[in-house]
């Protein structure tokens, strides 16, 4: 099969792209937009969803000039930063990024793989008012502690033009135009947010009209989980990273399927998941199937891919890929459900048989979508490379070894390889006389979608 490498690469990079920031909008409750502020006994109240110019003028006047940090110094220089600031003991806003589930969204958007296991704590830092002609020149935020890794800016829904946040990293540049996002119809109870790593340079362009009102948070790694607020169930739109954007993934996947040179006869496309999911390591027969629940909480590019497949009339299916590295041959086996493997089966080397015959497993005949070698980008971690190498060494490309003859199998054309991120390792202790030996059973999660022949992609073929 000759694949159009460009389309495949584009899909891979759209799915795996990780950006140093994330942004989006979130619909919030109207009471979250009520702001109280003041010093001493002088307190004022503004409903930010309907704030008048007079009210915002008064708020701006109650602020102090915002400084910025240069090395160890705090500097006031309105050729570098022109904005008002209020300390956290001078205001109280209904909205709280942690309680709203926004921190969870940011955590899972910014971190991938093993990093996703980190806990994140957000500390409210300042309220800032950017009135007409206010701006903040390019800078990076001063880390306030060793474990501080980034910042979060929440822009409240007061109309403004200009005041875009420009982010720069690795010679790339992105614009987060809160004024445009918040002026969309029906956006009065909406906040816009952008979160970025501390090494991302950023600036706020000059505000042309209106008021750009923000609260900022410092983000820290935390050794423990303090409370837990899951991602919001509705009203969230993650605009970046692109991989969290279903339309972008749909476009590239549609382009791939429109390419008649790719799987012209139809077949199965396979994708290793990009994120980590804490599936249980073992199951008791009769427990509900965790793969079904997983469909509902896929993250980022994985969620986008699942939805994109459905949007294109396809039926994506999550599979566990079982591998037992203790016995030869190491055959990857696909299963639509989690299963329980007994110690007896592991010990007796019959595990492959049991999975295939008792549980309806299919030997995964694994092809890369490229006929030539696996591109660098897909092999960017050592363990993954080892995994691929092992399959290749054992079977060669698109192996169809004699061991698989007569076994139920499925040929899968991998678009993104399986990663260590989606690997689950079960360790079973097997008694061998006095010695306890360890048996390893690896499980990966992958998404497989059967596609019809060129021109009729959503017409599924029966399983091969
Ligand atoms: O308001 C923004 O978008 C960014 C503000 C900022 O860079 C800062 O407070 O350090
Ligand atoms: Fe900043």
């Amino acid at each position: 099969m000759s694949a159009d490498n460009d389309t495949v690469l584009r899909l891979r990079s759209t799915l795996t792209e990780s950006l140093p920031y994330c942004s989006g909008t979130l619909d919030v409750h109207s009471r979250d937009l009520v702001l109280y502020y003041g010093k001493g006994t002088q307190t004022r109240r503004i409903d930010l969803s309907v704030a008048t110019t007079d009210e915002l003028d008064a708020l701006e006047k109650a602020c102090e000039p915002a400084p910025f940090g240069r090395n160890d110094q705090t500097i006031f220089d309105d050729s570098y930063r022109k904005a008002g600031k209020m300390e956290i003991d001078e205001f109280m806003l209904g909205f709280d990024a942690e309680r709203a589930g926004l921190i969870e969204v940011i955590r899972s958007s910014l971190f991938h793989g093993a990093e996703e296991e980190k806990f994140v704590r957000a500390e409210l830092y300042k309220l800032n008012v950017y009135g007409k002609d206010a701006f903040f020149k390019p800078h990076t935020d001063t880390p306030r502690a060793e474990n501080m890794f980034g910042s979060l800016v929440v822009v409240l829904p007061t109309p403004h033009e200009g005041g875009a946040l420009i982010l720069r990293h690795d010679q790339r540049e992105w614009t987060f135009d809160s004024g445009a996002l918040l002026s969309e119809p029906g956006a009065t109870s909406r906040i816009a947010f952008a979160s970025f790593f501390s090494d991302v340079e950023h600036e706020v362009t000059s505000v042309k009209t209106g008021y750009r009102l923000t609260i900022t948070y410092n983000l820290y790694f935390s050794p423990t989980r303090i409370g837990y607020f899951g991602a919001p169930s509705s009203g969230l739109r993650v605009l970046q990273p692109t991989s969290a954007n279903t339309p972008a993934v749909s476009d590239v996947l549609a382009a791939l399927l429109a390419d008649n040179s790719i799987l012209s006869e139809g077949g199965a496309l396979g994708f290793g998941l990009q994120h980590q999911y804490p599936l249980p390591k073992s199951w008791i027969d009769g427990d509900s199937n965790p793969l079904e629940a997983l469909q509902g909480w896929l993250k980022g590019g994985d969620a986008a891919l699942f939805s994109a497949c459905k949007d294109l009339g396809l039926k994506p299916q999550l599979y566990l890929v079982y591998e037992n590295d203790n016995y030869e041959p190491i055959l990857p086996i696909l299963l639509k459900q989690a299963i329980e493997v007994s110690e007896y089966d592991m010990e007796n080397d019959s595990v492959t048989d049991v999975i295939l015959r008792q549980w309806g497993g299919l030997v995964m005949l694994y092809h890369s979508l490229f006929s030539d070698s696996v591109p660098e980008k897909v092999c960017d971690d050592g363990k993954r490379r080892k995994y691929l190498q092992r399959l290749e060494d054992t079977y060669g490309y698109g192996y169809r070894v004699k061991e698989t003859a007569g076994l139920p199998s499925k040929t899968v054309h991998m678009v993104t390889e399986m990663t260590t991120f989606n690997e689950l390792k079960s360790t079973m202790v097997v008694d061998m006389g006095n010695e306890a030996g360890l048996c390893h059973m690896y499980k990966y999660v992958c998404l497989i979608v059967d596609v019809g022949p060129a021109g009729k992609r959503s017409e599924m073929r029966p399983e091969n």
Side-chain angles (χ1 to χ4, degrees):
M1 176 189 57
S2 78
D4 172 348
N5 293 2
D6 279 355
T7 335
V8 179
L9 276 183
R10 230 173 84 222
L11 181 56
R12 279 178 183 162
S13 61
T14 311
L15 289 170
T16 56
E17 184 172 51
S18 79
L19 295 178
Y21 86 105
C22 71
S23 68
T25 61
L26 176 66
D27 293 340
V28 296
H29 200 279
S30 55
R31 68 173 171 264
D32 288 341
L33 296 171
V34 176
L35 172 74
Y36 295 89
Y37 71 93
K39 280 186 179 159
T41 52
Q42 292 272 308
T43 311
R44 288 183 177 232
R45 176 187 184 276
I46 313 186
D47 180 346
L48 296 172
S49 54
V50 288
T52 63
T53 308
D54 284 351
E55 285 175 318
L56 293 168
D57 269 348
L59 175 66
E60 188 184 30
K61 289 204 178 76
C63 288
E64 284 163 41
F68 66 95
R70 183 179 289 154
N71 303 325
D72 294 342
Q73 290 174 310
T74 298
I75 292 169
F76 292 91
D77 177 349
D78 69 7
S79 69
Y80 207 83
R81 181 180 197 185
K82 187 164 172 265
K85 65 116 185 170
M86 211 172 252
E87 300 292 334
I88 53 172
D89 57 353
E90 293 165 33
F91 72 92
M92 187 83 82
L93 178 69
F95 178 81
D96 176 89
E98 205 135 55
R99 233 178 30 234
L102 195 54
I103 301 306
E104 180 55 20
V105 171
I106 288 164
R107 193 183 64 81
S108 66
S109 300
L110 289 183
F111 298 109
H112 292 251
E115 293 257 282
E116 273 183 55
E117 280 171 4
K118 293 183 167 170
F119 301 121
V120 171
R121 181 170 61 83
E123 205 171 79
L124 185 59
Y125 183 54
K126 293 272 175 5
L127 176 142
N128 289 114
V129 180
Y130 293 77
K132 185 166 163 39
D133 297 329
F135 62 89
F136 198 166
K137 287 268 173 74
H139 66 285
T140 50
D141 291 345
T142 318
R144 308 218 161 244
E146 249 176 36
N147 59 338
M148 179 175 155
F149 68 87
S151 305
L152 162 64
V153 182
V154 172
V155 187
L156 299 157
T158 52
H160 56 277
E161 286 173 315
L165 172 69
I166 316 266
L167 302 137
R168 294 188 192 90
H169 191 64
D170 267 352
Q171 281 144 25
R172 293 174 73 186
E173 184 177 295
W174 303 272
T175 301
F176 164 70
D177 187 349
S178 50
L181 290 172
L182 294 169
S183 67
E184 288 170 3
T188 49
S189 245
R190 178 171 298 167
I191 58 103
F193 65 90
S195 178
F196 43 89
F197 288 116
S198 301
D199 58 345
V200 173
E201 185 193 89
H202 54 283
E203 71 175 294
V204 180
T205 63
S206 149
V207 170
K208 302 285 175 239
T209 63
Y211 284 96
R212 181 181 188 271
L213 179 56
T214 66
I215 53 170
T216 54
Y217 290 82
N218 294 328
L219 302 176
Y220 300 88
F221 288 125
S222 166
T224 50
R225 170 177 281 168
I226 329 139
Y228 177 72
F229 296 96
S233 51
S234 64
L236 170 72
R237 192 162 51 130
V238 179
L239 300 166
Q240 291 293 355
T242 330
S243 57
N245 199 351
T246 304
V249 176
S250 285
D251 285 354
V252 197
L253 185 59
L256 181 107
L257 296 176
D259 184 335
N260 292 346
S261 70
I262 293 175
L263 291 186
S264 51
E265 303 291 310
L269 290 176
F271 302 82
L273 298 188
Q274 302 301 311
H275 287 268
Q276 262 197 349
Y277 301 97
L279 294 184
K281 283 192 170 174
S282 60
W283 293 264
I284 307 295
D285 192 13
D287 279 359
S288 63
N289 181 10
L291 286 183
E292 240 152 66
L294 182 57
Q295 290 183 14
W297 49 282
L298 289 172
K299 295 188 262 187
D302 300 333
L305 175 65
F306 200 87
S307 312
C309 289
K310 291 213 291 204
D311 288 352
L312 295 171
L314 305 169
K315 293 203 176 87
Q317 171 79 48
L318 295 175
Y319 283 90
L320 285 168
V321 185
Y322 278 76
E323 268 194 359
N324 181 357
D325 75 353
N326 252 28
Y327 302 106
E328 295 293 333
I330 308 163
L331 290 179
I333 299 175
L334 290 170
L335 270 173
K336 284 185 187 174
Q337 74 199 66
I339 58 165
E340 184 190 18
V341 181
S342 73
E343 281 184 26
Y344 174 84
D345 292 327
M346 297 289 285
E347 200 176 347
N348 285 283
D349 196 8
S350 58
V351 64
T352 305
D353 263 10
V354 169
I355 297 178
L356 288 176
R357 306 208 192 279
Q358 193 176 322
W359 298 96
L362 298 166
V363 174
M364 183 185 193
L365 297 175
Y366 183 103
H367 280 262
S368 174
L369 202 49
F370 283 115
S371 42
D372 52 349
S373 67
V374 180
E376 255 327 278
K377 191 164 169 37
V378 195
C379 276
D380 58 6
D381 85 56
K383 226 171 153 193
R384 197 175 349 167
R385 193 187 303 266
K386 236 172 86 191
Y387 172 76
L388 291 173
Q389 199 58 53
R390 187 156 53 77
L391 285 183
E392 260 197 272
D393 290 350
T394 319
Y395 308 119
Y397 255 112
Y399 53 90
R400 286 172 189 278
V401 286
K402 60 178 186 317
E403 287 88 346
T404 66
L407 296 178
S409 66
K410 184 174 181 73
T411 301
V412 183
H413 302 266
M414 295 306 281
V415 181
T416 53
E417 309 297 343
M418 281 179 292
T419 66
T420 49
F421 306 154
N422 63 50
E423 171 192 312
L424 304 159
K425 197 191 303 178
S426 304
T427 307
M428 288 186 152
V429 181
V430 180
D431 279 325
M432 294 176 190
N434 306 338
E435 273 182 70
L438 290 181
C439 244
H440 294 287
M441 182 84 155
Y442 295 90
K443 302 182 210 92
Y444 298 81
V445 186
C446 74
L447 183 153
I448 295 180
V449 61
D450 290 311
V451 300
K456 297 182 233 160
R457 297 300 197 183
S458 54
E459 285 175 22
M460 249 64 76
R461 303 180 324 161
E463 292 216 325
N464 53 336

